Amino acid sequence: MPNPASSPAIAELRERIAHLEGPGGRARSVLPFGLKDIDRRLPGGGLALGCLHEVAGGGNGAVDGAAAALFVAGIAARTRGKVLWVVTRPDLFAPAIAQAGLQPDRVIHVEAGDEKALLACFEEGLRHGGLGAVVAETARLSMTASRRLQLAAETSNTIGLALRRWRRQTEAGDFGQPTASVTRWRVSVLPSRPLPVPGLGRARWLVELIRCRAGESADFELEACDDTGRLALPSEVADGSPQKEIGRRIASR
C-alpha cells in the first residue's frame, strides 16, 4: 500500500501549514484589511505580521507610484507603534500619507545615502522589535537581501513593507525577479467615481495581488485609503471582479 505520508496532497498541506506558522511552530498573527474579498485570499485572513511584503506601482509613472506609497501608508497606519520609513530620495510628502491615516508624529523618517545603506536600515529596523512597521523605498531587492529581511521580520514579529521605486526602465524589470517576500502587490490608478456635484470623488485603485505564498493571486478594484488607512469596495463592484466592471465600462462607450 502507498504510504499516505508520501502523498503530494499531504506534502502540500504540510507546506501550507509551515508557511502559516511562525518561529517555534506558533501561528502567525495577521493584519486584516477588513474587506472579505481581500482577506479570504490571504492565508490567515490578512497580511502576515513578522513577514516581508512588496508593493509597487502598476506603471512607471509617478501617479501609480504615489498610489503604491499611499497603499503602503494605509497598511502601516493600521499597525500599532512608530513606523520607520527609509528613503534614498527626500520626497516623502507627510500631508499625503496623513490622508491615508499615517500621522506624521508616528513616522520616523530616515534618509539613507544609497541602496546599500537603505537595506541596512531596513534590516536593523525590523530587528529592533519596538516598531509597528518598517517601510523602505528600494529599487532593487535580491533574493539574498530579501531573505535577510524576512528573517529579521520573523525575529521581531514586525511587518516589513518594501515599496519598490525605480528611476529608470531597466530597474523596473527587477520587480519580476524572485524574492523571499510573502506577498507582492501592484497598485494602479483608476478613474474616480463621478460626483453629482462638481468635484473629485474618492480615488480608486486597481490592486493586484500578484504573488501570495501559500495562496493565490487576485485583483481588486478598490476605493483608496481613507484617513484611518481603510480601503473600501465600490458599491457597484458587487462580485469582487474588477475585470468584469472595467469590461462593462468599455462596452458601454
Side-chain angles (χ1 to χ4, degrees):
M1 291 182 63
N3 183 2
S6 64
S7 165
I10 296 297
E12 181 182 359
L13 179 59
R14 285 175 174 169
E15 182 179 0
R16 285 176 175 262
I17 292 172
H19 285 319
L20 290 172
E21 292 181 340
R26 295 172 297 174
R28 284 200 182 106
S29 53
V30 299
L31 180 68
F33 281 93
L35 293 175
K36 290 182 179 179
D37 284 20
I38 301 179
D39 290 337
R40 68 183 178 85
R41 300 275 188 166
L42 298 170
L47 276 181
L49 301 177
C51 290
L52 176 67
H53 306 272
E54 290 180 78
V55 182
N60 296 325
V63 175
D64 286 342
L70 293 176
F71 178 77
V72 166
I75 295 171
R78 293 183 288 107
T79 64
R80 294 182 179 180
K82 296 287 186 178
V83 174
L84 177 64
W85 196 303
V86 191
V87 300
T88 56
R89 287 180 276 181
D91 59 357
L92 182 63
F93 190 51
I97 63 173
Q99 289 182 353
L102 185 55
Q103 299 303 319
D105 60 355
R106 289 189 58 201
V107 179
I108 302 171
H109 181 205
V110 174
E111 294 181 14
D114 53 30
E115 286 281 325
K116 183 177 180 180
L118 178 139
L119 290 174
C121 292
F122 195 2
E123 183 177 347
E124 188 64 26
L126 288 172
R127 291 191 184 280
H128 181 269
L131 298 168
V134 181
V135 181
E137 301 184 11
T138 179
R140 298 187 180 277
L141 188 63
S142 67
M143 176 61 80
T144 300
S146 65
R147 282 175 174 165
R148 290 181 61 91
L149 295 168
Q150 173 63 23
L151 181 60
E154 289 178 356
T155 301
S156 64
N157 200 38
T158 302
I159 190 168
L161 300 166
L163 179 57
R164 305 297 301 274
R165 296 184 64 186
W166 36 80
R167 293 183 174 89
R168 52 189 69 90
Q169 182 63 34
T170 54
E171 293 177 336
D174 186 73
F175 186 59
Q177 298 302 311
T179 67
S181 61
V182 173
T183 65
R184 180 179 285 176
W185 303 79
R186 189 163 53 198
V187 184
S188 305
V189 172
L190 295 174
S192 60
R193 182 178 183 180
L195 296 176
V197 295
L200 296 175
R202 185 171 174 178
R204 288 191 179 189
W205 300 332
L206 176 63
V207 176
E208 301 170 83
L209 175 58
I210 58 179
R211 180 181 183 275
C212 180
R213 189 186 301 174
E216 299 178 357
S217 59
D219 43 57
F220 317 91
E221 183 178 340
L222 302 170
E223 292 185 341
C225 299
D226 61 14
D227 59 2
T228 66
R230 299 285 178 180
L231 299 162
L233 191 68
S235 57
E236 69 271 20
V237 186
D239 59 0
S241 174
Q243 294 93 341
K244 291 182 180 179
E245 175 61 23
I246 293 170
R248 285 194 291 267
R249 292 183 185 180
I250 295 174
S252 65
R253 290 177 181 173

